[in-house]
Amino acid sequence: MTAITLLLLDFTGVVHHYLGWVARLQFMPALLSLNVLVLLTLVLLTLVFGRVYCSVICPLGIMQDMVSSLRRKKHRFRYNKAVTWLRRFMVAVMVVAFVAGIGSLVALLDPYGNYGRIATNLLQPLWLAGNNVLASIAAHYESYSFYSVDVWVKSVPTLIVAMVVFVLVATLAWRSGRTYCNTICPVGTVLGQLARLSWLKIRIDTDKCISCGLCARDCKASCIDSKNHAIDYSRCVTCGNCLSSCNHGALRYGTSVAATDKPVNEARRAALVGAAIVAADVAFAQTGKKLDGGLAVIENKKQPKRRVPLTPPGSLGASNMASHCTACQLCVAACPNGVLRPSDGLLTLMQPTMSYERGYCRPECNRCSQVCPNGAIKPISHADKSVTHIGQAVWIKQNCVVLADGVSCGNCARHCPAEAIMMLPLDPNDNLSPMVPHVDVSRCIGCGACEYVCPARPFSAIYVEGLEVHHV
């Protein structure tokens, strides 16, 4: 969880360089990117150890344990029957959303995506604010070990969703432990069915059990029926709380309930699980600057309405993005140029789109493609990015300061890295005609440099319209 959280909070790219592979170990990203190696590893871990994914890999599951532990009350859980119909319904909704390509619904049900939105929307602003305090202190002593970054709300709807999900999950965890995991989360339900077949399980020795119920009252999954000596393995997350609570040695984590007087070695069990996870891990082993003259107040730019949303190079187009993205916000957090922000569209809600009010998509930056664990943004080299067309610039005559204010400009042409914009006379037959931008769409890659540097406010006189399918 710590590694995932640092990835989501990081804005320098340093953490991603060392720990970027951690995000690829999550279940839904592996499924959407068709990462067979990770999927097989997670299935194997579940078939051997039980639902250890939910207890030691899934960050949302660990967050629930942290919230639950804040309520310092012993023996506060109790056995509850599984709400089977609701669990099956949530899995069915996930499957339908997945097949129908409703990315926003898939994102709402993905535990990793939900934690990503909680971290980037609720924790990252605090992290960035703390960084800015350190930057101010360092600057006072003429040190530049830290640099200040903008703290801003990238999407109000996504922020609201993150807050609602956090309150829901935290409330359920506070009241009754892993209720969200075992009732709502479709990933937990799927892995739970595999866990029924796991080789190692927590087993009850009926000869020693006196049905005192201590194990059930310490089970955060509410899955131990001590009266009937039964455990619902589809909900058990193999946390081991029950093992330490039993005073009669009636519980054992293993392949059978063979009588043994040898105490359970919790450290050894944790080491075995950890070693298996680490073994799987081994297989995968600036910021935009605000233009401000410092004298007059500059009106902020507004995002233009685009018929086709802009998606990053490597995403192949809006369709691929919508069908593969779980809106974990990892790419949004990693973007150093302030270009990526969550979408407000209904079908693509919370999934990343691009806009150029705060920066443009620099051809030398491919960080989003390096951190995406879902296959929504495929890895792309700097060379390939510089020739990948994600959109094309469109000139809006009535917004241009050349015509509206009668001044010379040419910012868009001077800053275009693809040399796709030329300043030509508005009237080709009049040598005194004002020089206005003309876009060569065959050269324009849609990076947005022109839109970003355009001085027109609040809407730029030149903006980038997205392409349904990216091409070279």
Side-chain angles (χ1 to χ4, degrees):
M1 177 183 178
T2 302
I4 288 291
T5 304
L6 288 175
L7 280 175
L8 293 164
L9 299 181
D10 179 45
F11 60 90
T12 64
V14 175
V15 177
H16 292 275
H17 179 71
Y18 294 102
L19 297 176
W21 50 268
V22 176
R24 291 176 170 79
L25 296 179
Q26 301 301 318
F27 185 86
M28 280 303 296
L31 179 64
L32 291 172
S33 62
L34 298 179
N35 194 327
V36 178
L37 180 58
V38 173
L39 288 174
L40 289 178
T41 299
L42 295 178
V43 169
L44 182 61
L45 281 174
T46 305
L47 290 176
V48 174
F49 298 103
R51 278 178 60 185
V52 293
Y53 170 84
C54 298
S55 57
V56 298
I57 300 179
C58 177
L60 193 68
I62 300 172
M63 187 196 81
Q64 292 174 71
D65 292 342
M66 294 176 64
V67 172
S68 182
S69 66
L70 295 176
R71 188 176 180 182
R72 300 183 180 278
K73 180 181 178 182
K74 293 183 177 180
H75 315 311
R76 61 188 182 86
F77 304 113
R78 62 187 178 87
Y79 171 72
N80 290 309
K81 290 184 178 180
V83 189
T84 305
W85 70 267
L86 180 57
R87 300 175 75 192
R88 291 175 177 173
F89 174 74
M90 298 307 293
V91 172
V93 170
M94 173 67 90
V95 171
V96 170
F98 185 80
V99 173
I102 308 175
S104 56
L105 188 53
V106 173
L108 279 173
L109 298 176
D110 172 39
Y112 164 69
N114 276 318
Y115 182 78
R117 290 185 290 277
I118 291 171
T120 54
N121 286 277
L122 305 184
L123 297 182
Q124 193 187 48
L126 301 177
W127 179 270
L128 297 180
N131 169 82
N132 290 347
V133 171
L134 293 176
S136 298
I137 296 173
H140 179 74
Y141 292 99
E142 297 184 353
S143 171
Y144 298 95
S145 302
F146 299 89
Y147 57 89
S148 182
V149 293
D150 290 339
V151 182
W152 56 292
V153 177
K154 298 179 176 68
S155 170
V156 173
T158 301
L159 174 63
I160 294 173
V161 169
M163 293 176 65
V164 170
V165 171
F166 174 74
V167 170
L168 171 64
V169 175
T171 300
L172 290 175
W174 178 268
R175 290 170 57 88
S176 51
R178 288 290 188 118
T179 302
Y180 179 87
C181 272
N182 289 331
T183 306
I184 300 175
C185 178
V187 173
T189 300
V190 171
L191 292 179
Q193 299 309 307
L194 294 175
R196 292 177 184 270
L197 308 174
S198 64
W199 181 50
L200 299 174
K201 297 176 180 176
I202 294 174
R203 304 175 190 271
I204 301 176
D205 187 341
T206 55
D207 294 332
K208 293 183 178 182
C209 181
I210 62 172
S211 300
C212 65
L214 277 178
C215 56
R217 292 200 293 272
D218 282 339
C219 177
K220 59 192 176 188
S222 302
C223 67
I224 301 179
D225 183 359
S226 57
K227 292 183 179 180
N228 297 311
H229 303 113
I231 298 176
D232 183 353
Y233 294 111
S234 71
R235 291 186 288 159
C236 177
V237 293
T238 322
C239 64
N241 287 357
C242 55
L243 299 177
S244 57
S245 67
C246 182
N247 298 323
H248 303 279
L251 293 175
R252 181 173 183 269
Y253 180 69
T255 58
S256 67
V257 292
T260 177
D261 295 327
K262 187 176 180 180
V264 175
N265 190 330
E266 293 290 337
R268 183 171 179 269
R269 182 179 71 87
L272 284 173
V273 175
I277 295 170
V278 170
D281 294 350
V282 172
F284 315 96
Q286 33 104 21
T287 59
K289 293 184 179 179
K290 202 172 181 180
L291 297 180
D292 193 336
L295 298 175
V297 176
I298 299 179
E299 185 180 5
N300 290 330
K301 283 194 176 185
K302 294 183 180 180
Q303 186 174 165
K305 292 184 178 180
R306 309 181 204 271
R307 293 189 299 275
V308 178
L310 279 165
T311 58
S315 65
L316 308 181
S319 177
N320 180 73
M321 173 67 76
S323 60
H324 287 80
C325 179
T326 60
C328 70
Q329 313 294 303
L330 192 53
C331 59
V332 176
C335 179
N337 304 310
V339 169
L340 290 177
R341 70 280 311 270
S343 168
D344 295 338
L346 181 60
L347 295 180
T348 58
L349 184 66
M350 303 177 295
Q351 294 182 344
T353 57
M354 304 170 70
S355 201
Y356 303 126
E357 293 79 60
R358 291 175 172 266
Y360 68 97
C361 191
R362 298 177 180 271
E364 69 274 13
C365 174
N366 63 350
R367 194 179 295 177
C368 61
S369 77
Q370 301 302 309
V371 304
C372 177
N374 303 325
I377 309 175
K378 301 183 183 301
I380 188 171
S381 67
H382 296 131
D384 288 339
K385 179 180 176 180
S386 66
V387 293
T388 298
H389 297 245
I390 64 172
Q392 60 185 41
V394 179
W395 181 55
I396 307 299
K397 180 179 179 180
Q398 60 269 26
N399 292 349
C400 189
V401 296
V402 173
L403 302 179
D405 300 331
V407 298
S408 298
C409 184
N411 263 9
C412 52
R414 284 193 298 272
H415 291 87
C416 178
E419 298 182 354
I421 301 177
M422 296 176 289
M423 300 300 292
L424 298 175
L426 179 63
D427 183 355
N429 300 317
D430 183 2
N431 293 332
L432 299 178
S433 181
M435 304 292 282
V436 296
H438 289 254
V439 180
D440 182 352
V441 295
S442 66
R443 298 179 66 91
C444 178
I445 59 175
C447 68
C450 56
E451 181 177 331
Y452 173 57
V453 301
C454 178
R457 295 291 190 278
F459 294 102
S460 295
I462 191 165
Y463 81 100
V464 179
E465 186 64 60
L467 295 177
E468 290 281 0
V469 180
H470 300 173
H471 63 270
V472 175

